[in-house]
Amino acid sequence: MRWILGWKWTDHVISQMKERNIQENLIELTLDNPDEIAVGNRERKIYQKKFEDKLLRVIVDGDKIITAYFTKKISKYLSKGESK
């Protein structure tokens, strides 16, 4: 586990980033300047940011990043289907 900008980056999320081809700077941008923050299961926060035709969702629990993934289901997850 490592700390970056006040967030705990677990080995799990780092391996997921490589597997899913998600750049670290996109996760940092999403955490620093999200289009929206939703509440998920177990009161986890979901930071969401639209990048072209995809939505990056970063799920965090406290200060620990749980997972991150891209989805094309923008209207399902982002309010009104567009960034604010």
Side-chain angles (χ1 to χ4, degrees):
M1 187 175 332
R2 61 184 176 146
W3 284 86
I4 300 175
L5 300 172
W7 296 97
K8 290 180 189 174
W9 293 64
T10 62
D11 293 337
H12 176 72
V13 77
I14 291 168
S15 69
Q16 286 180 326
M17 287 169 45
K18 291 176 186 173
E19 189 177 300
R20 297 171 177 168
N21 198 26
I22 301 173
Q23 298 171 352
E24 186 175 302
N25 68 316
L26 295 181
I27 291 179
E28 291 173 356
L29 184 58
T30 301
L31 292 170
D32 288 343
N33 188 24
D35 292 336
E36 182 176 277
I37 301 173
V39 178
N41 294 337
R42 301 183 204 153
E43 299 300 312
R44 291 177 172 166
K45 290 186 179 177
I46 305 169
Y47 290 72
Q48 305 182 118
K49 187 158 189 73
K50 189 175 172 188
F51 293 94
E52 296 176 15
D53 64 337
K54 296 184 284 188
L55 182 69
L56 180 58
R57 303 185 85 219
V58 182
I59 292 87
V60 301
D61 189 356
D63 59 1
K64 183 161 73 170
I65 302 171
I66 304 299
T67 191
Y69 63 92
F70 277 111
T71 181
K72 290 197 173 206
K73 298 178 181 179
I74 296 168
S75 61
K76 177 179 179 179
Y77 296 113
L78 196 61
S79 293
K80 299 179 185 156
E82 56 190 53
S83 54
K84 295 178 181 177

